[in-house]
Amino acid sequence: MLNRIKQLEEAASVLEPAAAQRSNMFRQVGLHTETFLEGLPEGKTFVAGDDCSEQLDGEFAEGPGDFMQLLESSRTALDSEGINAASGGHMGYIPGGGIYPAALGDFLADIGNYYAGVKFASPGAVKMEQQLLRWMADLIGYPATAGGDLTSGGSMANLTAIVTAREIMGVRAKDIEHSCVYLTEGTHHCVDKALRAAGLSECPKRVIPMVSGCRMDEHAFQQQLEADQSAGLRPWLVVASAGTTDTGSIDPINEIAQLAEKHSLWLHVDAAYGGFFILCDEGRVRLKGIERAHSIVLDPHKGMFLPYGSGALLVKNVTWLAQSQAFDAGYMQDTKAAEGFYSPADLSLELSRPFRGMRFWLPLKLFGVAAFRAALSEKIWLARYFHERLEKTPGWEMGPYPDLSVVTFRFIPKHHDINSFNALLVKAVLEDGRVFLSSTRINGKFVIRLAVLHFRTHLKHVDYMLDFLQRKAVALDQLEVLTGMEKHIETT
Ligand SMILES: *Cc1c(COP(=O)(O)O)cnc(C)c1O
């Protein structure tokens, strides 16, 4: 038996490379990432295609691979097609971030493999996460009772919020058909997914109309609320968006909070996109009243420019979260913290989870808050600049002046169908590939949208976009038929 164990130990020993091998791998990764980063300014933001199969050998062999070769094949598979989410040209959907020290933070967290689920295992990691949550709670203006959890993203944070609301509001299975939920067309679809996952699909869902500017119509909300109450139903949850994904619009939070308080509803604010704009003056005025929410979702992988995998949930009273999430397992008995102390696992659907604090703490401490404040302010001004420039150019129909950093617009062609013309315009941007944007439908209209949130997006990217759109729109509108478009794109 001992021989067998020794043999196995020997065979498994490659799992722990020696110091020289490690530093060689580290150096190779350093060179690899430098090549990537140095290539960003001149590179493309989007390349169409879905065929990286050539580069990715599908076999997982018994024997070892070559590190350099693996880096090379991952480069071709990952970097030759699709959206380059690290590029400043990314102005589609809601761009994510990827600031450098966050990656180093992940590296440090992963090398130590700190167990951030319970304080007993890694008090330092838990403390770091709690400091970050406290910092966010202070930004919002939440009281000392507040708490929260660092999640994998906005969707998981919204799900946790909905489950918490359900538990604290006492919505039981037998109540569901009478328990009304209020949201708008602009509410992110992950809230629908969360309602479904939380077993709440059968709650009557009231999609409150939006007024101009794509914000919830608070009067319509009030009317619906009162009608439902008169009909013997129980309104229990309203979801406000602080920055809708479609248009970046912010619902009238104060007015909604007023009604929620009066009628005893849980107010959840989905600020996954817009929440961190509270750091800058231009954003703070728009987010007034957000501290009145029972729960708030923020996405540090959006507004704090972290790489994907960072969301956050804040609740005004941490005991709500604990009541809805905490669980006692026999085998966890040694890890119990003092009464009144909540470890992340007590406040989360997760138990073992990545130590998410390090990727957030390191950049925030290293760069300081002012740098983030400036970057967020810059994004707002870039969106305003884009809106103002295009508004002054004939032919363009602009959506609402941006609340934050999303601009919607379309070109009104002289000779073509508006919707298909604008779809072609988006296609032209994608085929060019230097910059990237996306589109949406608002009241049945095809609308182009620009979302400025990447920390690498600056004036030159926005100017490129403006110039490209204008040139392309004019050129396309002069064409008699819009087929043969591909050729046209190649030659102009
Ligand atoms: C991005 C976003 C979400 C979803 O968050 P993920 O981090 O992608 O899971 C939810 N709500 C809003 C408003 C968002 O912008």
Side-chain angles (χ1 to χ4, degrees):
M1 183 157 79
L2 287 181
N3 260 351
R4 181 74 185 132
I5 292 176
K6 289 276 184 224
Q7 273 171 6
L8 291 170
E9 179 178 326
E10 172 62 26
S13 67
V14 292
L15 297 180
E16 180 69 293
Q21 270 175 300
R22 287 200 300 269
S23 72
N24 194 37
M25 286 199 266
F26 192 77
R27 202 174 51 84
Q28 295 303 342
V29 168
L31 293 172
H32 181 90
T33 49
E34 277 314 303
T35 307
F36 175 83
L37 291 173
E38 291 297 314
L40 284 177
E42 296 308 317
K44 293 216 166 192
T45 304
F46 180 74
V47 179
D50 57 3
D51 189 28
C52 49
S53 50
E54 299 262 305
Q55 288 84 37
L56 282 183
D57 165 15
E59 287 219 344
F60 294 100
E62 281 291 316
D66 178 76
F67 190 66
M68 289 275 282
Q69 239 169 34
L70 293 171
L71 283 184
E72 226 16 80
S73 49
S74 76
R75 184 204 304 283
T76 30
L78 295 173
D79 300 346
S80 57
E81 291 169 348
I83 303 172
N84 185 344
S87 166
H90 185 5
M91 292 173 265
Y93 310 109
I94 302 284
I99 39 178
Y100 193 75
L104 300 181
D106 275 349
F107 183 74
L108 293 165
D110 292 354
I111 291 293
N113 200 22
Y114 305 95
Y115 192 90
V118 288
K119 184 184 176 194
F120 172 80
S122 185
V126 170
K127 182 86 197 168
M128 216 180 247
E129 293 199 353
Q130 287 187 330
Q131 282 180 352
L132 289 161
L133 288 159
R134 188 62 247 167
W135 178 70
M136 288 186 277
D138 286 341
L139 285 183
I140 294 297
Y142 260 0
T145 51
D149 183 40
L150 296 180
T151 66
S152 60
S155 300
M156 286 308 293
N158 273 299
L159 172 60
T160 315
I162 299 287
V163 169
T164 306
R166 184 195 66 199
E167 292 300 295
I168 301 305
M169 297 302 283
V171 178
R172 299 283 162 260
K174 63 179 167 45
D175 311 319
I176 288 176
E177 286 183 4
H178 316 287
S179 303
C180 304
V181 174
Y182 301 80
L183 32 70
T184 71
E185 200 70 56
T187 307
H188 195 275
H189 68 271
C190 79
V191 171
D192 291 286
K193 283 167 85 173
L195 288 166
R196 188 174 59 199
L200 298 167
S201 310
E202 285 144 3
C203 283
K205 197 165 77 186
R206 307 302 191 207
V207 181
I208 305 300
M210 297 193 280
V211 286
S212 69
C214 299
R215 302 181 185 89
M216 186 190 286
D217 178 349
E218 77 243 28
H219 303 294
F221 173 41
Q222 178 168 11
Q223 279 167 12
Q224 184 68 51
L225 201 56
E226 289 167 358
D228 287 333
Q229 276 172 336
S230 309
L233 300 169
R234 183 200 175 200
W236 71 283
L237 170 68
V238 54
V239 179
S241 305
T244 61
T245 315
D246 257 354
T247 62
S249 315
I250 299 175
D251 286 332
I253 306 178
N254 262 323
E255 288 74 10
I256 296 171
Q258 194 77 24
L259 288 164
E261 284 159 19
K262 183 168 167 214
H263 297 272
S264 305
L265 273 73
W266 182 284
L267 169 59
H268 174 62
V269 175
D270 180 2
Y273 153 60
F276 284 107
F277 282 105
I278 206 163
L279 276 167
C280 65
D281 293 340
E282 298 84 358
R284 193 174 316 116
V285 293
R286 309 275 165 163
L287 293 161
K288 279 213 174 101
I290 192 170
E291 74 287 349
R292 295 171 76 176
H294 296 82
S295 53
I296 299 170
V297 164
L298 302 167
D299 252 352
H301 65 205
K302 290 176 182 160
M304 290 299 291
F305 317 121
L306 301 189
Y308 292 121
S310 277
L313 167 65
L314 298 173
V315 293
K316 197 182 237 164
N317 190 331
V318 71
T319 61
W320 297 334
L321 202 48
Q323 274 177 54
S324 64
Q325 304 294 336
F327 208 87
D328 248 345
Y331 76 93
M332 295 288 288
Q333 62 188 3
D334 305 333
T335 71
K336 270 244 140 320
E339 200 57 38
F341 182 90
Y342 302 111
S343 277
D346 297 322
L347 305 174
S348 166
L349 291 160
E350 295 177 285
L351 176 59
S352 306
R353 70 213 243 298
F355 169 32
R356 300 192 174 107
M358 194 68 196
R359 52 157 53 193
F360 192 171
W361 184 89
L362 190 61
L364 189 53
K365 286 276 189 186
L366 182 68
F367 295 140
V369 180
F372 292 89
R373 210 187 294 289
L376 286 160
S377 192
E378 180 200 15
K379 304 313 153 201
I380 288 185
W381 283 103
L382 286 174
R384 290 176 177 178
Y385 167 79
F386 181 89
H387 190 280
E388 283 175 22
R389 279 276 311 267
L390 221 49
E391 192 173 38
K392 288 193 194 122
T393 315
W396 297 93
E397 180 186 271
M398 304 307 291
Y401 192 76
D403 267 349
L404 297 171
S405 68
V406 176
V407 185
T408 54
F409 57 98
R410 58 184 195 156
F411 190 78
I412 309 295
K414 290 201 182 72
H415 311 295
H416 304 286
D417 171 70
I418 300 181
N419 284 352
S420 45
F421 184 90
N422 282 279
L424 278 180
L425 212 45
V426 171
K427 198 162 171 230
V429 174
L430 268 49
E431 301 222 354
D432 174 67
R434 284 304 306 271
V435 288
F436 179 84
L437 47 57
S438 55
S439 67
T440 187
R441 263 186 323 273
I442 297 176
N443 302 327
K445 287 187 203 164
F446 184 101
V447 172
I448 308 180
R449 60 186 286 290
L450 180 97
V452 189
L453 195 60
H454 203 288
F455 70 101
R456 290 194 180 102
T457 300
H458 303 299
L459 190 57
K460 61 175 181 283
H461 301 99
V462 174
D463 275 337
Y464 184 94
M465 184 70 87
L466 280 165
D467 181 59
F468 184 89
L469 285 169
Q470 174 62 14
R471 263 191 308 118
K472 197 56 69 171
V474 170
L476 277 177
D477 201 19
Q478 282 165 356
L479 291 182
E480 278 190 19
V481 275
L482 286 176
T483 48
M485 164 82 181
E486 274 73 48
K487 247 207 181 68
H488 172 76
I489 291 166
E490 275 163 28
T491 53
T492 50

